[in-house]
Amino acid sequence: PDRGTVFLIDEDPVSSAIAAALFRSGGAASVEVVANTEASILDIVGHSRACDIVVLGLNMSGLDGLAMMRLLSKHGYRGFVAISSDESALIRNAALRLARLLHLRTIGELMKPVTEQEVRRLLATASEADDVTARQDNAGGEAAGEVVPVYQPKFDSISGEVVGGEALMRLKSADGKLLSPFAYIEKVTAEGTLAGETLAFLDLVLDDLASFRKVGQFPVISVMFRLP
């Protein structure tokens, strides 16, 4: 598989410099240290490939690592994500779980202080995961689709005016078709991940509501929860 670009997002300049040098010596195609801003995420997404890696620091002023994950997911980043932190295992595991709920492709963590062994392990993990994806694509594997919210209007029974909406979960296929989510819901229910998937869907709805607010619209949206 191809070697991708490694994007380092961390406010620790010493750790970033060490990590950048180790990733370069470890075989990364290129390494970029970028700021923790939405503009940086848009630039990464606009030029990224599936074999790229974003390494996120968790503790940053302004937009922290968790906020950057949300932006990566929101803007359709398709590469790998790893976290770089000296936080407790509980916090690191929670961050990785959030990334997976946001449908980001996680490859683990890079503990601080950064070591050559850990960098090579991370690159190897990304290479193996990219190879598996390539084999699945060559075999004609078809992804189930991307989970998206579709909004069904609610009408006032007397006036006929639209008074709100309901967010419905749908799967969007690669060719843009909207598919029923029932098989997907049954699958995640059987796997015991329905609660997490529901929270991830709610996060998409909240992002849409934030976009509505930016243009002066404040719709009332309901979301139906299915409990296992």
Side-chain angles (χ1 to χ4, degrees):
D2 295 335
R3 292 283 189 174
T5 298
V6 176
F7 299 95
L8 300 173
I9 306 178
D10 197 328
E11 286 187 331
D12 183 341
V14 175
S15 180
S16 294
I18 294 173
L22 291 175
F23 273 111
R24 291 188 183 101
S25 65
S30 62
V31 181
E32 298 183 23
V33 179
V34 298
N36 57 323
T37 64
E38 186 165 6
S40 296
I41 294 297
L42 289 170
D43 188 56
I44 290 171
V45 171
H47 300 89
S48 69
R49 299 179 298 162
C51 55
D52 290 341
I53 304 172
V54 168
V55 181
L56 284 169
L58 292 183
N59 295 323
M60 297 183 286
S61 58
L63 295 174
D64 61 15
L66 302 184
M68 298 299 279
M69 286 181 191
R70 293 177 185 274
L71 289 174
L72 286 168
S73 175
K74 175 182 177 181
H75 294 298
Y77 173 67
R78 59 194 184 97
F80 298 108
V81 172
I83 61 169
S84 177
S85 175
D86 54 5
E87 292 283 0
S88 68
L90 182 65
I91 293 177
R92 299 195 311 272
N93 289 337
L96 288 172
R97 186 168 183 272
L98 174 62
R100 289 190 289 270
L101 290 177
L102 293 171
H103 302 288
L104 296 172
R105 302 163 67 206
T106 61
I107 53 172
E109 55 191 288
L110 193 63
M111 291 293 296
K112 294 181 179 181
V114 180
T115 65
E116 180 180 3
Q117 180 181 2
E118 286 297 291
V119 165
R120 291 187 179 276
R121 177 191 58 77
L122 206 65
L123 287 171
T125 300
S127 180
E128 291 170 6
D130 191 41
D131 189 42
V132 169
T133 301
R135 289 201 302 270
Q136 290 173 340
D137 290 342
N138 291 335
E142 185 176 349
E146 175 191 6
V147 175
V148 296
V150 173
Y151 299 98
Q152 176 174 282
K154 288 186 174 182
F155 297 91
D156 185 291
S157 60
I158 298 176
S159 68
E161 295 181 352
V162 176
V163 294
E166 179 179 2
L168 306 176
M169 178 185 287
R170 292 292 183 266
L171 292 181
K172 186 177 182 181
S173 63
D175 59 4
K177 294 180 180 178
L178 293 177
L179 309 174
S180 169
F182 291 125
Y184 171 77
I185 291 174
E186 293 300 327
K187 176 178 178 292
V188 297
T189 300
E191 293 173 348
T193 59
L194 177 61
E197 295 294 334
T198 300
L199 290 175
F201 175 72
L202 179 59
D203 195 64
L204 294 175
V205 175
L206 292 174
D207 282 342
D208 284 346
L209 289 175
S211 298
F212 284 131
R213 287 195 296 271
K214 289 179 181 179
V215 295
Q217 299 295 321
F218 303 90
V220 177
I221 300 296
S222 63
V223 181
M224 181 180 293
F225 290 89
R226 174 179 171 182
L227 299 177

Coordinates of all heavy atoms in Angstrom, one line a residue, residues 142 145-146 148 150 170-179:
E142 N -18.6 -4.0 -1.0 CA -19.4 -2.8 -1.1 C -19.8 -2.4 0.3 O -20.3 -3.2 1.1 CB -20.7 -3.1 -1.8 CG -21.6 -1.9 -2.0 CD -22.8 -2.2 -2.9 OE1 -22.9 -3.2 -3.4 OE2 -23.7 -1.3 -2.9
G145 N -22.8 1.9 3.5 CA -23.2 3.2 3.3 C -22.9 4.1 4.4 O -22.6 3.7 5.5
E146 N -23.0 5.4 4.2 CA -22.8 6.4 5.2 C -24.1 6.8 5.9 O -25.1 7.0 5.2 CB -22.2 7.7 4.5 CG -22.0 8.9 5.5 CD -21.7 10.1 4.7 OE1 -21.7 10.1 3.5 OE2 -21.4 11.1 5.4
V148 N -26.7 9.1 7.4 CA -27.0 10.5 7.3 C -28.4 10.8 7.9 O -29.3 9.9 7.8 CB -26.9 11.0 5.8 CG1 -25.5 10.9 5.3 CG2 -27.9 10.2 5.0
V150 N -32.0 12.5 7.5 CA -33.0 13.0 6.5 C -34.1 13.6 7.3 O -34.7 12.9 8.2 CB -33.4 11.9 5.5 CG1 -34.5 12.5 4.6 CG2 -32.3 11.4 4.7
R170 N -30.9 7.4 7.7 CA -30.8 6.7 6.4 C -29.4 6.4 6.1 O -28.4 7.0 6.6 CB -31.4 7.6 5.3 CG -32.9 7.9 5.4 CD -33.7 6.6 5.2 NE -35.1 6.8 5.2 CZ -35.9 6.6 6.3 NH1 -35.3 6.3 7.4 NH2 -37.2 6.8 6.3
L171 N -29.2 5.4 5.2 CA -27.9 5.1 4.7 C -27.7 5.7 3.3 O -28.6 5.5 2.4 CB -27.7 3.6 4.6 CG -27.6 2.9 6.0 CD1 -27.4 1.4 5.7 CD2 -26.5 3.4 6.8
K172 N -26.6 6.4 3.1 CA -26.4 7.0 1.8 C -25.3 6.2 1.1 O -24.2 6.1 1.5 CB -25.9 8.4 1.9 CG -25.7 9.2 0.6 CD -25.3 10.6 0.9 CE -25.2 11.4 -0.4 NZ -24.8 12.8 -0.1
S173 N -25.6 5.6 -0.1 CA -24.7 4.7 -0.8 C -23.7 5.5 -1.5 O -23.8 6.8 -1.6 CB -25.5 3.8 -1.7 OG -26.1 4.5 -2.7
A174 N -22.7 4.9 -2.1 CA -21.6 5.6 -2.8 C -22.1 6.4 -4.0 O -21.6 7.4 -4.4 CB -20.5 4.6 -3.2
D175 N -23.3 5.9 -4.6 CA -23.8 6.6 -5.8 C -24.9 7.6 -5.4 O -25.6 8.1 -6.2 CB -24.4 5.6 -6.8 CG -25.5 4.7 -6.2 OD1 -25.9 4.9 -5.0 OD2 -26.0 3.8 -6.8
G176 N -25.0 7.9 -4.1 CA -25.9 8.9 -3.6 C -27.3 8.5 -3.3 O -28.1 9.3 -2.9
K177 N -27.6 7.2 -3.4 CA -29.0 6.8 -3.2 C -29.2 6.6 -1.6 O -28.3 6.3 -0.9 CB -29.2 5.4 -3.8 CG -29.2 5.4 -5.3 CD -29.5 4.1 -5.9 CE -29.5 4.1 -7.5 NZ -29.7 2.7 -8.0
L178 N -30.4 6.9 -1.2 CA -30.8 6.8 0.2 C -31.4 5.4 0.4 O -32.3 5.0 -0.3 CB -31.7 7.9 0.6 CG -31.2 9.3 0.6 CD1 -32.2 10.3 1.0 CD2 -30.0 9.4 1.6
L179 N -30.9 4.7 1.4 CA -31.3 3.3 1.6 C -31.9 3.2 3.0 O -31.6 4.0 3.9 CB -30.1 2.3 1.5 CG -29.3 2.5 0.3 CD1 -28.0 1.5 0.4 CD2 -30.1 2.1 -1.0

